[in-house]
Amino acid sequence: MYTVPDQHGRLAVVTGANSGTGKEAAKRLAGAGARVVLAVRTVAKGEQARAEILAAHPDARLDVRRIDLAELDSVREFADGLIAEGSPLDLLVNNAGVMSPPSRIATADGFELQMGSNFLGPFALTLRLLPLLLAADAPRVATMTSGTANYGTIDFQDLQWESRRYSAVRSYAQSKLADLILTRQLAVVAAERGWPLLSTAAHPGYTKTNLQTAGASLGTGKPSFTYSLMNRFDILPSQGVEQGAEPLLYAATSPDAVAAGYYGPGGRFGLVGPAAPARTTRRARDTEVNARLWSEAERLTGVTLPAAVR
């Protein structure tokens, strides 16, 4: 079991902290002494998660705040609230996401739901919080992607699946490849500007969480046929959330994690086991594509690098 280093005196924001890997990450960060902001879409669920974490760690310092990564106004309001307080932010964990809704759904801003929630929302949040991150001594941004990024492609002609026939799985893969690209391009930007910020990524392998049910069915509780089949017959090795959160925690806190480092389970098929370096697909190593996607994300979200930290 990975042991999170001492986090006393550090402030962390964890998106999607009400369940799954997000809740586990928040629990273990708080247990190591961090003050943790549980950034959640549904406050009531966040409060329930807070109560569960406090039951395990009575001295934990936890705040619950609302953010909907599918709404850019919500992202702005969340970031503005933190910035108004002025506390340096040591760690941003971009964990929240949605997975394979059966039909194309548009966000309030007109984005395809997976691209909007999984990539454009976290992109906007990261850039908006940069002033607080760069006020910290050794800030980190750890972003959760997926092994399906290996099968994703960035289609600049139709990022939002408006022209093509919608594919839930291919759309998800594109959004998670975009997350991996975000990690790498943020590391490039930090290096170019001499920032002390460490940008890392992780994937959970095949970790059983409610992402396969609520994520795939938008809360109906009915997982897709594919995940139902996999769970029923144990087609692939799987693991619980305690183990599945470890690559993300390693990316977020390990002194051995490196800039643009990518971590996942090191066991069978890269789906289970302790955290280890993961292979980065060549599709995330194209510097021209990465820079172009960053620029396109700035255009789509209207969020650019703050002037004070350029």
Side-chain angles (χ1 to χ4, degrees), residues 140-147 180 183 198-205 244-266 270 273-280:
R140 291 195 185 200
V141 176
T143 299
M144 182 70 98
T145 178
S146 165
L180 191 50
T183 295
L198 187 68
S199 175
T200 58
H203 77 84
E246 293 204 347
L248 184 61
L249 286 165
Y250 186 96
T253 66
S254 174
D256 297 323
V258 299
Y262 182 33
Y263 306 95
R279 182 184 68 86
T280 300

Side-chain angles (χ1 to χ4, degrees), residues 222-244:
K222 298 178 180 178
S224 69
F225 174 78
T226 299
Y227 290 106
S228 295
L229 191 67
M230 290 164 62
N231 288 335
R232 181 176 180 181
F233 296 103
D234 289 326
I235 292 174
L236 294 173
S238 62
Q239 60 189 5
V241 71
E242 294 82 3
Q243 187 77 66

Side-chain angles (χ1 to χ4, degrees), residues 142-159:
T143 299
M144 182 70 98
T145 178
S146 165
T148 60
N150 292 342
Y151 310 104
T153 57
I154 303 298
D155 186 342
F156 286 104
Q157 302 307 311
D158 191 22
L159 280 176

Side-chain angles (χ1 to χ4, degrees), residues 165-205:
R165 181 179 179 180
Y166 173 77
S167 166
V169 174
R170 290 169 57 205
S171 174
Y172 180 69
Q174 177 183 247
S175 72
K176 301 316 280 185
L177 173 60
D179 283 335
L180 191 50
I181 289 172
L182 166 61
T183 295
R184 294 183 66 84
Q185 192 62 20
L186 180 58
V188 169
V189 170
E192 289 176 346
R193 288 161 175 75
W195 297 344
L197 184 145
L198 187 68
S199 175
T200 58
H203 77 84

